[in-house]
Amino acid sequence: MLDGACILDVQDINKNLVEKTLRMRCLAYLSQVKSQLLIETIHDMNNSRQELADLSTSLAKRTRQAEDQRQTIEREMIKLEEQNKALEVDRDLLELKVEERTEAFEKLAHYDSLTNLVNTPPAKAGGFGLRLKAGLIGHSADYRHTTVKSSSGSGGF
């Protein structure tokens, strides 16, 4: 039969075996948790890499679009500058024409004041030449200056 010492030894062995079994189960569970965490971390890292790659591609695409827009804007600015220069030249030419016409009108007004004092056919012919140079011939307002009216009603030059 078994005496009390043997029973205590068996109980200690049994207790040690149960402890080792529980320890092994805990270690197995811990390994499983670590494995799951590692798998999730790897999965998250792969997703992050893919997202970064997608963002990088998107950023490169947007950068190309921005560069294309910048080049388009620069081309349009150059066109607008050229148009602006052409308009400035046209404006300067028109200002010169206005000055020339103003001078011609002033000369014509001065000459008209002189011809009103001296109502002779040569003076009227000279006024006609000035009007012709000033581009005023054909306007209804200046028609009275292009013909000579005589008091006898014969008309003409």
Side-chain angles (χ1 to χ4, degrees):
M1 288 230 187
L2 296 172
D3 62 11
C6 282
I7 292 178
L8 286 175
D9 284 338
V10 170
Q11 283 178 343
D12 281 340
I13 292 172
N14 207 12
K15 179 181 154 190
N16 284 338
L17 286 174
V18 169
E19 285 177 359
K20 284 183 182 181
T21 303
L22 286 174
R23 185 169 186 262
M24 286 178 66
R25 281 187 179 176
C26 287
L27 289 175
Y29 179 71
L30 183 61
S31 294
Q32 184 180 6
V33 169
K34 285 181 180 179
S35 174
Q36 284 292 20
L37 285 174
L38 184 60
I39 289 170
E40 288 176 11
T41 302
I42 291 171
H43 187 263
D44 289 345
M45 286 178 60
N46 286 337
N47 286 341
S48 294
R49 283 184 191 156
Q50 184 61 41
E51 288 175 6
L52 284 174
D54 292 345
L55 289 174
S56 177
T57 303
S58 175
L59 181 62
K61 182 179 177 182
R62 288 183 181 177
T63 302
R64 283 191 304 270
Q65 289 173 343
E67 182 63 24
D68 291 345
Q69 288 176 344
R70 186 188 62 78
Q71 289 174 354
T72 301
I73 289 170
E74 286 179 355
R75 284 192 301 268
E76 291 299 318
M77 283 180 57
I78 290 170
K79 286 179 186 177
L80 289 174
E81 287 173 358
E82 291 172 356
Q83 289 175 351
N84 193 26
K85 287 179 184 177
L87 288 173
E88 287 176 358
V89 168
D90 289 345
R91 184 193 67 217
D92 292 342
L93 290 174
L94 288 173
E95 286 176 354
L96 287 174
K97 285 183 181 180
V98 166
E99 288 176 18
E100 290 174 357
R101 292 264 171 112
T102 304
E103 289 174 8
F105 282 129
E106 289 171 356
K107 286 180 183 178
L108 184 61
H110 176 69
Y111 191 75
D112 278 346
S113 68
L114 292 177
T115 58
N116 285 335
L117 296 175
V118 181
N119 196 9
T120 62
K124 288 184 179 181
F128 179 79
L130 284 176
R131 283 186 199 86
L132 186 61
K133 286 181 182 177
L136 298 175
I137 300 300
H139 295 291
S140 63
D142 290 329
Y143 183 74
R144 65 180 177 85
H145 296 288
T146 59
T147 61
V148 176
K149 294 182 182 176
S150 66
S151 58
S152 63
S154 63
F157 286 99

